[in-house]
Amino acid sequence: MQNQIDAAVEHYRKLLNEQLERVERMEKGAKAKDFTAMDKIVIGVCGGDGIGPIIVKQARRVLNALLKDEIASGKVEIREIEGLTIENRLAQNVPIPKETLDAIKECDVLLKGPTTTPKGGTMESANVALRRELDLYANVRPVCVPEENIDWIFYRENTEGEYVLGSKGIEIEGKLSMDFKVTTDVGTKRIARAAFEYAKNNGKTNVAIVTKANIMKKTDGRFSAVCHEVANDYPDITADEWYIDIMTANLVNPEIRSKFQVFVLPNLYGDIITDEAAQIQGGVGTAGSANIGDRYAMFEAIHGSAPRMIEEGIGDYANPSSIFKAAEMMLRHIAMPSKADLLSKALAICNEQEKAVVVTGNRDGATCKEFADYVMKTLDKIY
Ligand code: IPM
Ligand code: MG
């Protein structure tokens, strides 16, 4: 056992050094891209696993239609990214095949279908690896239920917390396992800044800082303290401190939930609560997700690859609304707000107002393609 302890201590020293190096890299910072000043924008599109290729194919059709002129003039290129499949990743035993990552780095933004994450073992999730490799520190997830006055936006820290060393824990065989959670000043500052800037620029008056700082004293304690420090720069915005457990209850409390506006929270709590929030909006199939960094940004559905739907042969009935929302967020990010507004309007008509074609995720509903046809027709009408 002493050998295992020694190995674990050595492993821990290595992790600590790696994380301090990451801090240094973050401290150097990068300048955010200005899409309004770019001659050409390359959008990478990649299907992923399970229902991914099915929904992404339809998103690509919608983008081709919306960006017809920009593609024709060469202002936008939509580029297929190959190789991000679970078969390929397992065969090469890497979370992202090198050629795929290189190809992604040649793009400005990425629209990505869900990827399957093997449970247990040491194979890291492709999503987590992409967020790290591209330094996509802000996971931004809006949730709206207009009839209930719910207009939330979640700023989930996306590169550290419970995730950054999630595949690098320690084990003493037959005795114990230990994982690590990491919170850094610079990593927290940049996500807090993103949340408060959003609030300031969008007329919001409150940011909820959500942690479990009463228990995770070091990491969440730091997260909370740094967020409050950043809040000092925004005197017109109130910053409230919440614990994650009561916040999950608040979101299902119709008496109070509509008062929340902007949330900022560590990685894992953000992961969990955004699924809850998406469910309140109508299901995880309905929410889009943006992963934003200074150099790159990746847009995806909030849900997973739904391998069960593929096994049951109902993949074609998958709901593409989530990836469509992601495409809308992407258009906004690349400084094409009028295109984003068009898509948002079409989705509101199709999903909330007319509802002439309804996807249920099962054979009793429309197929993914039928729904996409409906969205395209609606876009034609409002264009
Ligand atoms: C999400 C997903 C991912 C996560 C998985 C697929 C790794 O649940 O984007 O919320 O845990 O972040
Ligand atoms: Mg999740």
Side-chain angles (χ1 to χ4, degrees), residues 172-335:
I172 306 285
E173 248 176 71
K175 298 283 182 201
L176 66 80
S177 296
M178 246 189 223
D179 280 323
F180 303 106
K181 169 164 172 166
V182 184
T183 299
T184 67
D185 271 45
V186 55
T188 308
K189 255 183 213 149
R190 60 186 190 174
I191 186 69
R193 186 70 63 198
F196 280 93
E197 278 296 304
Y198 175 86
K200 186 176 114 188
N201 296 332
N202 290 276
K204 306 291 179 194
T205 52
N206 179 262
V207 174
I209 301 164
V210 189
T211 67
K212 189 77 185 173
N214 50 341
I215 303 300
M216 302 303 292
K217 291 183 187 291
K218 292 279 181 274
T219 48
D220 284 3
R222 183 181 293 267
F223 190 93
S224 167
V226 170
C227 284
H228 282 289
E229 233 173 72
V230 171
N232 288 336
D233 293 340
Y234 301 83
D236 298 334
I237 299 167
T238 54
D240 289 332
E241 174 91 15
W242 292 93
Y243 292 140
I244 183 65
D245 48 353
I246 190 63
M247 188 52 96
T248 58
N250 289 342
L251 294 198
V252 288
N253 182 346
E255 303 285 304
I256 59 169
R257 63 183 175 189
S258 64
K259 76 171 188 172
F260 297 111
Q261 301 175 348
V262 181
F263 302 77
V264 60
L265 59 188
N267 212 337
L268 184 61
Y269 311 140
D271 175 45
I272 297 167
I273 209 167
T274 51
D275 268 15
E276 185 197 16
Q279 190 60 38
I280 291 166
Q281 176 181 257
V284 291
T286 66
S289 171
N291 299 268
I292 312 237
D294 291 326
R295 277 184 71 189
Y296 299 104
M298 173 173 91
F299 300 80
E300 59 183 347
I302 187 174
H303 55 74
S305 57
R308 227 182 12 230
M309 287 186 79
I310 300 293
E311 270 161 36
E312 289 172 12
I314 53 170
D316 286 338
Y317 294 86
N319 191 347
S321 295
S322 182
I323 196 85
F324 288 180
K325 288 248 175 79
E328 177 204 325
M329 295 176 86
M330 182 181 80
L331 290 167
R332 228 173 274 291
H333 183 75
I334 62 175

Side-chain angles (χ1 to χ4, degrees), residues 102-113:
D102 289 345
I104 289 172
K105 286 187 171 170
E106 304 265 298
C107 302
D108 298 298
V109 291
L110 180 69
L111 184 70
K112 180 191 135 303

